[in-house]
Amino acid sequence: MKLKKLIIYVVSIILVGGIVFIYLVGNFVFNSSLNLVSNSETKIDRVNQLKQMGIDYNEFNSKYNVEEIEINSSLDGHIIPADYITKDSNKNMVVLVHGLGSNRLSTYPVAQVFLQKGYNVIACDQRSSGNNYAKYNTFGAFARK
């Protein structure tokens, strides 16, 4: 009987220890992988960032209408900052999304191609990038919603 209690005790300790270990490791992986880059590292300085990409800020704004808009996330209600860029009154539109460690301005060179083809463009800051203050970057998993 004592052996049976000892086995139950040891198995219980191993199970609880395993659960705590998995929780701690999982929490570490979650926090470190979803916060690889923060929005403070990708803040927007429009004039300088566009200049680094070879785009003159004033010239771009004289060619295209750039309206800063805010989109309410249907997932968790946070605000998604975006630029709505138009040239004509065309209804066709593309949505451009930047990569990790960047912001919506990094899509402007591609936006120019679509604008020249007659499309309107929405360029948005993904979660935890640029002016988007969502807590975690989810690599598009939450953004798609």
Side-chain angles (χ1 to χ4, degrees):
M1 197 62 154
K2 286 185 180 185
L3 180 62
K4 187 176 180 181
K5 284 184 179 182
L6 179 64
I7 291 173
I8 292 172
Y9 181 71
V10 170
V11 169
S12 297
I13 288 176
I14 291 171
L15 283 175
V16 169
I19 291 170
V20 169
F21 177 78
I22 289 170
Y23 172 79
L24 291 175
V25 169
N27 204 17
F28 172 76
V29 169
F30 176 82
N31 286 324
S32 63
S33 65
L34 297 184
N35 287 319
L36 291 173
V37 179
S38 70
N39 59 344
S40 62
E41 297 171 276
T42 58
K43 278 286 188 219
I44 295 176
D45 175 1
R46 287 182 176 276
V47 175
N48 288 331
Q49 187 172 347
L50 290 174
K51 187 177 185 179
Q52 289 174 356
M53 292 184 284
I55 299 173
D56 181 86
Y57 178 75
N58 294 324
E59 183 182 337
F60 189 88
N61 283 329
S62 68
K63 280 185 184 178
Y64 309 109
N65 302 317
V66 180
E67 179 185 353
E68 289 186 46
I69 61 172
E70 294 180 340
I71 303 165
N72 291 322
S73 170
S74 61
L75 178 67
D76 57 6
H78 83 279
I79 301 296
I80 302 166
D83 290 339
Y84 179 53
I85 311 167
T86 59
K87 182 176 182 182
D88 302 315
S89 59
N90 190 347
K91 300 269 189 226
N92 295 321
M93 182 185 321
V94 295
V95 177
L96 298 178
V97 183
H98 62 82
L100 182 65
S102 194
N103 59 46
R104 66 186 184 251
L105 290 181
S106 67
T107 66
Y108 273 41
V110 176
Q112 285 182 309
V113 173
F114 284 105
L115 289 160
Q116 290 166 358
K117 300 276 185 190
Y119 290 88
N120 294 330
V121 173
I122 290 183
C124 58
D125 281 334
Q126 292 215 59
R127 299 173 65 87
S128 192
S129 298
N131 289 331
N132 189 325
Y133 295 103
K135 188 172 181 179
Y136 299 111
N137 183 320
T138 60
F139 306 100
F142 286 0
R144 67 185 171 83
K145 296 182 181 191

